[in-house]
Amino acid sequence: MRKAEMGLPLLDRAEDADRYEVVSGGFDEQLFTAAAIGEHDRVLDIGCGYGRTTLLAARRAGRGRVVGNDVVEPMLAQARAFTAAEHVDNVTFETGDAQHHPFPTNAFDVAISRFGVMFFADPVAAFTNIGRALRPGGRLVFVTVGPPQRNDLPTVLAAAMSQPPAATGVLSLADPRRIDDVLSRAGYRDIRVTDAETTITLGPDAEAAAAFALRWGAFRDYFDRADAAVVESARAALTAAARPFQTDDGVRLRSTAWLVHATHP
């Protein structure tokens, strides 16, 4: 059965970028305050996805330059389209796994990431490689998913499937002790891990929240392979799971993360 017949239209990348902002954008202010990007800084955005944080960094580094890196080329194609539409000229995007990508040595003042560093096969190797790209004294600042018991979105999503896709990867840095261990072994110092929190408004009501989840790119692969009955069952389960979070202001979910700051010697 075709996707449209299951109520799942073909993925619109621009719309999917907006959905990612609903889920993640509430952490931008905290991320960029910690990163303290200067006008002349050279910035590396790891796991930049659709490039929203890359463009925010470019506006702060108006006389510097920003490189967005991600493994998913279709997302980067949309990021380039956003960049062209907004006439931003100090940004480039590179496809590649940051664990192995040949970044130039000592080329960046700061590396940032918003939920883009949880899926490395070898995180110590990845952060070591990113560190090589930073100048001596360069800063690493990222946001990563916090403990699941302090996040409402996994509760809602888990209602639709027995095991949410990539759950293990998402939580790979959910323990601050592991963050400290990984970054220490990768050669960083002055490691600080602090709480960050925001509220996700998933839709005006439970039905809209369920529709959002079904169409969000992070979970579309799962539902794209499912038949119509599975999709409709998931829709009903998501709607029921979202109802306890429905308020007069919409379906509002608590979202917590770790904000991490470290320095490369």
Side-chain angles (χ1 to χ4, degrees):
M1 183 174 289
R2 294 188 298 273
K3 295 175 189 176
E5 294 173 331
M6 299 191 304
L8 291 175
L10 293 173
L11 182 62
D12 182 309
R13 289 286 176 181
E15 289 184 3
D16 195 48
D18 289 340
R19 294 187 185 99
Y20 271 94
E21 292 310 298
V22 169
V23 172
S24 304
F27 292 100
D28 287 348
E29 182 176 353
Q30 296 164 88
L31 173 66
F32 283 101
T33 296
I37 294 170
E39 185 179 7
H40 296 275
D41 275 349
R42 302 160 298 168
V43 184
L44 176 61
D45 188 1
I46 299 296
C48 67
Y50 289 116
R52 298 294 201 188
T53 48
T54 317
L55 292 176
L56 289 173
R59 294 188 181 98
R60 287 159 172 79
R63 297 188 179 183
R65 62 183 179 86
V66 184
V67 175
N69 168 267
D70 203 283
V71 296
V72 184
E73 174 55 34
M75 298 181 87
L76 292 183
Q78 182 61 57
R80 294 184 185 101
F82 286 140
T83 302
E86 297 181 28
H87 306 289
V88 180
D89 59 8
N90 62 335
V91 169
T92 57
F93 293 98
E94 298 177 354
T95 309
D97 183 344
Q99 181 173 324
H100 311 288
H101 193 70
F103 299 115
T105 302
N106 299 338
F108 299 96
D109 301 292
V110 57
I112 63 170
S113 183
R114 189 188 69 184
F115 301 115
V117 296
M118 296 99 69
F119 301 101
F120 296 127
D122 184 340
V124 173
F127 283 111
T128 299
N129 191 43
I130 294 166
R132 291 191 194 101
L134 289 170
R135 64 164 173 79
R139 308 181 304 283
L140 171 69
V141 182
F142 65 85
V143 176
T144 189
V145 173
Q149 63 270 24
R150 295 170 55 201
N151 282 285
D152 295 331
L153 184 59
T155 299
V156 173
L157 297 176
M161 57 197 82
S162 58
Q163 181 178 359
T168 301
V170 165
L171 298 176
S172 68
L173 295 174
D175 184 341
R177 293 169 299 182
R178 175 159 170 74
I179 294 171
D180 187 83
D181 176 64
V182 166
L183 294 183
S184 295
R185 288 196 284 146
Y188 294 84
R189 57 180 174 79
D190 303 326
I191 301 164
R192 301 194 302 274
V193 182
T194 57
D195 278 306
E197 183 170 334
T198 191
T199 299
I200 300 170
T201 302
L202 210 57
D205 53 38
E207 290 76 12
F212 179 103
L214 286 170
R215 293 172 184 156
W216 183 29
F219 294 90
R220 278 290 297 268
D221 285 346
Y222 179 89
F223 292 113
D224 282 352
R225 295 191 297 269
D227 61 29
V230 170
V231 172
E232 289 312 310
S233 175
R235 191 188 307 276
L238 286 164
T239 301
R243 280 208 178 94
F245 301 98
Q246 186 167 323
T247 72
D248 292 341
D249 297 318
V251 175
R252 294 173 62 81
L253 309 179
R254 181 190 185 193
S255 180
T256 66
W258 298 119
L259 175 63
V260 182
H261 185 289
T263 303
H264 199 267

